[in-house]
Amino acid sequence: MKLVNLFLISIKNDLAFFIVIVALFLSSTSFSQKVKLKNEVSYNLGATYIGGQKNVAVKDKASLVFYTKSKTAKCFTKCNFIDLKYSEKRSKFKFTKVTPGDVPCPDHLIGIEEDLKENFPKITCYSLKDNKIYFLNKKDTVLIFYEQ
């Protein structure tokens, strides 16, 4: 009887170890299979969120292109550009440098440029779904771009 009990305890410990190993493997593969940003693909601005309110009047007034090898991006407004550098680690994402072009936009377009310059540094993660990039801060969606 003691032999049977030792055998069952041994199997139980081996099974627990096996379950832990499988769980670690599955979690590591789920992190590595996160949908990545596409290199040199243009995304159009779909909407901005200001104070939790969606603003679709900015639709197609800017585009965003990522250069994934150098971890940079360029946002083109209808009158200017914004150079961006970013870092990403697992599920965290951050624009580490936001540099606007030298020439400011005319008054009727300056609001879009200002919204983008203000919101890019607040982004902490993103989600890709249905060819759209949802940039989020700690609480809400901040910007939405869609693939052309």
Side-chain angles (χ1 to χ4, degrees), residues 10 41 46 76 94 143:
S10 174
V41 171
F76 301 93
K94 181 155 183 64
L143 299 169

Side-chain angles (χ1 to χ4, degrees), residues 6-148:
L6 281 173
F7 178 72
L8 290 175
I9 290 171
S10 174
I11 288 175
K12 181 179 165 186
N13 289 340
D14 289 342
L15 183 61
F17 178 74
F18 176 75
I19 291 171
V20 168
I21 295 299
V22 168
L24 287 173
F25 174 75
L26 291 175
S27 66
S28 70
T29 53
S30 68
F31 278 127
S32 66
Q33 291 178 350
K34 180 182 178 194
V35 180
K36 299 287 185 180
L37 297 168
K38 295 180 181 177
N39 189 45
E40 296 187 29
V41 171
S42 185
Y43 295 91
N44 281 348
L45 180 62
T48 60
Y49 286 80
I50 302 163
Q53 297 294 316
K54 187 176 185 178
N55 178 7
V56 292
V58 298
K59 187 171 185 202
D60 296 330
K61 299 228 175 13
S63 61
L64 182 64
V65 177
F66 285 93
Y67 303 96
T68 57
K69 291 178 184 158
S70 61
K71 299 281 189 195
T72 60
K74 196 172 276 283
C75 182
F76 301 93
T77 63
K78 295 296 180 186
C79 56
N80 207 350
F81 64 90
I82 302 170
D83 283 320
L84 303 158
K85 288 189 180 219
Y86 67 91
S87 66
E88 69 183 317
K89 192 173 193 177
R90 293 194 183 181
S91 63
K92 294 184 186 221
F93 180 90
K94 181 155 183 64
F95 285 108
T96 56
K97 187 174 181 184
V98 177
T99 309
D102 295 335
V103 181
C105 287
D107 289 344
H108 68 284
L109 292 173
I110 194 134
I112 297 164
E113 183 180 15
E114 292 299 317
D115 287 349
L116 292 170
K117 287 189 311 189
E118 180 183 323
N119 282 322
F120 280 132
K122 295 177 182 177
I123 293 167
T124 58
C125 62
Y126 69 90
S127 172
L128 286 167
K129 183 178 178 187
D130 299 328
N131 290 333
K132 291 181 182 176
I133 304 175
Y134 297 86
F135 288 110
L136 303 108
N137 63 13
K138 292 179 182 176
K139 294 186 267 183
D140 303 307
T141 300
V142 177
L143 299 169
I144 300 174
F145 284 83
Y146 65 93
E147 189 175 337
Q148 288 184 345

